[in-house]
């Protein structure tokens, strides 16, 4: 996008006939300098798409103002999953959008922009069986950032009945491990202290780029879990990738999300337990506590199998922090089903939760099930789940009061410049005073902790979302692990 220098004529007089948006742009046009505006979109929930439609209405006024007052066209593009799902509607609604590019078409953006420059609409929403953008390393725009995300695979083959990801992101395909390791090394050289491996189904990672591993046996599923597809033999798997990534920098924390509960073989759990820099925190998305609803969702497990996995994880990784996703009011959900989800929240006692009311998308559920839970019932059930989650999370976090937690400092607290904020190994926010502390090695004078430092914090209070404490000393990830 080429910046446009604001000219002296930008601040124009406001005429009585101008709309409120026109008056706004006339007064503040120096801040609107882009020639191209690209909106990266999501389609997981209807609310995300509605936010884009609202933004487009605002951009429509800006586009008209730019053409009328500045005499220069503004190109608008919609990228990502919403572009994939609603190409025709986006192109034809008010003829506002110039470019539509699906999640596998970003390499085609230069051509699409060139077409748009000629005055035509341009679109590419073809899904790919192999595009992973493995050879494109992202640019870190926040200099000195302590955390980063690394995409390792795209797409999903699970075909859960409520989920639109397989339709907007396509089939699963994984980046070559070599390209992932290259990116993580680059981030380590830049001073990044925490990397999160990303994927729609991150722990089903399967790198088929090396011929000698293409006939390897498929790992087993978690006990009591099944899939809608046949086991896929061959390839280097997630346990191998996690092992290699964790060896790059002993002072870099490693996390991953979002996994499916079916893909937790014992070698992955054992590796998490053994490596001091792989966080003892797992996301186990349950979605519902009712076996009947789970079957309708095509999740491939029962409530009992899920609870067995939770117990196995906690036995394998003592002190592990757990998070989960839940959907309130899925098709056909009864009050009894809802209460089973409430009881699952109570039984497991998650540290972190992501809870939403069901939003019907054009998925298998759209074609085969009825969205028959009234909106007000969905919202009431959602609030009940949120209340129970917060009660249980508060109890889980209160158990850490009096304990020492290793915190990676991210920066000042949003609520007070006198406090610092960071996260512990379990990905729980920790707030503590910005005070001078000693170094654990005892070889440095007292100093304030900086973003990227590891600080040992004694927890003094807890809520459902946050721990508070006092800083004891600065340390390192390796030194802290050696003390345990």
């Amino acid at each position: 996008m080429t910046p446009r220098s604001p000219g002296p004529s930008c601040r124009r007089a406001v005429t009585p006939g101008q709309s409120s948006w026109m008056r706004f742009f006339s007064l503040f046009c120096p801040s609107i300098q882009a020639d191209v505006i690209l909106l990266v979109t999501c389609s997981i929930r209807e609310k995300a798409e509605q936010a884009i439609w609202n933004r487009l209405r605002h951009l429509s006024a800006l586009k008209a103002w730019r053409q009328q007052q500045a005499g220069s066209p503004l190109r608008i593009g919609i990228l990502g999953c919403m572009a994939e799902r609603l190409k025709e509607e986006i192109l034809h609604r008010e003829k506002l959008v110039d470019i539509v590019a699906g999640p596998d078409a970003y390499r085609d953006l230069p051509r699409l922009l060139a077409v748009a420059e000629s005055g035509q609409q341009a679109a590419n929403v073809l899904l790919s069986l192999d595009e992973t953008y493995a050879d494109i390393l992202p640019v870190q725009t926040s200099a000195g950032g302590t955390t980063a995300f690394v995409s390792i695979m795209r797409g999903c083959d699970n075909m859960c009945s409520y989920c639109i990801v397989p339709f907007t992101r396509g089939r699963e395909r994984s980046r070559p491990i070599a390209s992932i390791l290259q990116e993580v090394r680059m981030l380590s050289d830049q001073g990044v202290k925490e990397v999160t491996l990303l994927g729609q189904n991150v722990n089903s990672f399967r790198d088929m780029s090396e011929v000698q591993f293409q006939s390897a046996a498929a790992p087993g599923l978690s006990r009591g879990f099944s899939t809608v597809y046949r086991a896929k033999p061959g390839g280097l798997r997630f346990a191998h990738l996690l092992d290699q990534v964790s060896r790059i920098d002993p002072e870099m924390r490693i996390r991953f999300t979002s996994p499916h509960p079916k893909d937790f073989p014992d070698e992955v759990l054992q590796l998490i337990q053994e490596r001091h820099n792989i966080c003892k925190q797992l996301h186990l998305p349950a979605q519902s506590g009712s076996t009947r609803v789970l079957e309708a969702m095509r999740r491939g497990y029962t409530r009992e199998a899920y609870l067995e996995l939770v117990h196995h994880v906690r036995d394998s990784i003592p002190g592990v922090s757990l998070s989960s996703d839940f959907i309130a009011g899925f098709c056909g959900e009864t009050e009894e089903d809802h209460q089973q989800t409430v009881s699952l929240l109570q039984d497991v006692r998650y540290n972190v939760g992501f809870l939403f009311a069901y939003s019907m998308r054009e998925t298998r559920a759209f074609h085969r099930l009825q969205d028959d839970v009234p909106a007000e019932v969905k919202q009431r059930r959602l609030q009940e789940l949120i209340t129970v989650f917060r009660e249980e999370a508060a109890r889980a976090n209160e158990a850490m009061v009096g304990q020492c937690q290793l915190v990676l400092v991210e920066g000042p607290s949003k609520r007070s410049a006198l406090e610092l904020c960071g996260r512990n190994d379990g990905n729980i926010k920790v707030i503590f005073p910005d005070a001078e502390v000693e170094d654990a090695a005892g070889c440095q004078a007292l100093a304030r902790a900086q973003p990227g430092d590891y600080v040992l914090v004694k927890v003094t209070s807890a809520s459902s979302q946050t721990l508070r404490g006092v800083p004891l000393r600065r340390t390192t990830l390796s030194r802290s692990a050696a003390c345990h």
Side-chain angles (χ1 to χ4, degrees), residues 118-131:
S118 71
Q120 303 177 65
Q121 288 182 308
N124 183 347
V125 293
L126 294 176
L127 287 175
S128 169
L129 291 176
D130 53 20
E131 178 63 88

Side-chain angles (χ1 to χ4, degrees), residues 197-203 256-260 283 285 325:
L197 306 178
L198 292 179
Q200 272 79 33
N201 190 19
V202 66
N203 53 343
F256 58 90
T257 199
S258 180
H260 191 287
H283 188 59
D325 299 333

Side-chain angles (χ1 to χ4, degrees), residues 224-434:
F225 287 69
S226 63
T227 66
V228 297
Y229 55 83
R230 295 179 182 176
K232 305 171 186 175
L236 292 169
R237 300 292 179 148
F238 186 65
H240 181 84
L241 172 66
L242 199 56
D243 170 56
Q244 294 298 303
V245 168
S246 66
R247 293 176 184 273
I248 289 175
D249 184 348
E251 291 302 311
M252 176 188 278
R253 276 179 171 172
I254 308 299
R255 302 186 190 275
F256 58 90
T257 199
S258 180
H260 191 287
K262 66 178 172 54
D263 294 310
F264 277 108
D266 284 348
E267 53 263 42
V268 169
L269 301 180
Q270 183 177 350
L271 189 63
I272 294 171
Q273 167 59 18
E274 292 176 352
R275 295 290 162 82
H276 74 275
N277 62 336
I278 303 179
C279 292
K280 311 302 181 277
Q281 174 251 328
L282 290 181
H283 188 59
L284 296 179
Q287 307 301 353
S288 175
S290 162
T291 294
R292 194 186 68 82
V293 173
L294 290 170
E295 183 178 0
M297 290 178 167
R298 304 182 85 206
R299 290 291 289 171
Y301 53 87
T302 61
R303 173 194 177 96
E304 291 72 25
Y306 180 87
L307 282 171
E308 183 177 342
L309 174 63
V310 169
H311 296 148
H312 181 53
V313 165
R314 284 182 162 154
D315 288 342
S316 304
I317 311 172
V320 66
S321 172
L322 297 181
S323 60
S324 192
D325 299 333
F326 286 93
I327 297 173
F330 184 67
C331 305
E333 183 187 74
T334 64
E335 282 301 319
E336 181 181 354
D337 294 324
H338 169 63
Q339 290 304 318
Q340 289 182 35
T341 301
V342 169
S343 70
L344 185 67
L345 285 165
Q346 294 168 331
D347 291 346
V348 176
R349 187 170 289 177
Y350 300 95
N351 299 90
V352 178
F354 305 91
L355 301 91
F356 304 94
Y358 177 61
S359 173
M360 176 68 88
R361 321 305 291 134
E362 291 188 29
T363 63
R364 183 183 177 91
F366 176 84
H367 295 288
R368 303 197 178 195
L369 301 175
Q370 292 293 320
D371 186 14
D372 53 1
V373 180
E376 61 274 15
V377 176
K378 290 180 183 178
Q379 289 302 318
R380 189 257 301 166
R381 290 178 184 173
L382 174 61
Q383 290 307 312
E384 289 178 5
L385 294 182
I386 291 173
T387 298
V388 172
F389 158 73
R390 286 178 175 169
E391 291 172 351
E392 297 302 328
R395 292 188 180 100
N397 292 345
E398 284 165 4
M400 299 183 213
V401 173
Q403 297 180 3
C404 291
Q405 296 288 316
L406 184 64
V407 178
L408 175 60
V409 179
E410 296 177 352
S413 168
K414 292 182 179 179
R415 296 192 176 183
S416 172
L418 301 177
E419 295 179 316
L420 293 175
C421 176
R423 292 185 181 272
N424 69 355
D425 188 83
N427 208 27
I428 300 168
K429 184 184 294 184
V430 183
I431 307 292
F432 58 94
D434 183 6

Side-chain angles (χ1 to χ4, degrees), residues 22 66 103 126 167 172 174 180 209 456 459 464:
M22 290 300 186
R66 275 283 296 271
L126 294 176
F167 303 97
E172 288 181 9
S174 301
I180 298 170
S209 64
L456 199 62
V459 179
S464 63

Side-chain angles (χ1 to χ4, degrees), residues 149-221:
F149 297 92
V150 175
S151 177
I152 69 167
M153 58 87 67
R154 297 171 69 83
C156 183
D157 291 344
N158 289 321
M159 298 299 293
C160 299
S161 64
Y162 57 84
C163 186
I164 202 166
V165 167
F167 303 97
T168 59
R169 290 279 182 168
R171 302 295 297 273
E172 288 181 9
R173 62 270 191 204
S174 301
R175 282 177 64 180
I177 283 182
S179 73
I180 298 170
L181 300 181
Q182 177 191 0
E183 184 172 345
V184 174
R185 290 189 190 99
M186 178 188 73
L187 293 169
S188 174
D189 292 342
Q190 293 174 359
V192 170
K193 291 297 181 68
E194 180 179 292
V195 162
T196 301
L197 306 178
L198 292 179
Q200 272 79 33
N201 190 19
V202 66
N203 53 343
S204 68
F205 177 87
R206 176 170 164 259
D207 173 16
M208 294 292 289
S209 64
E210 299 189 33
V211 176
Q212 66 268 36
F213 297 105
Q214 290 184 0
S215 59
L221 298 177

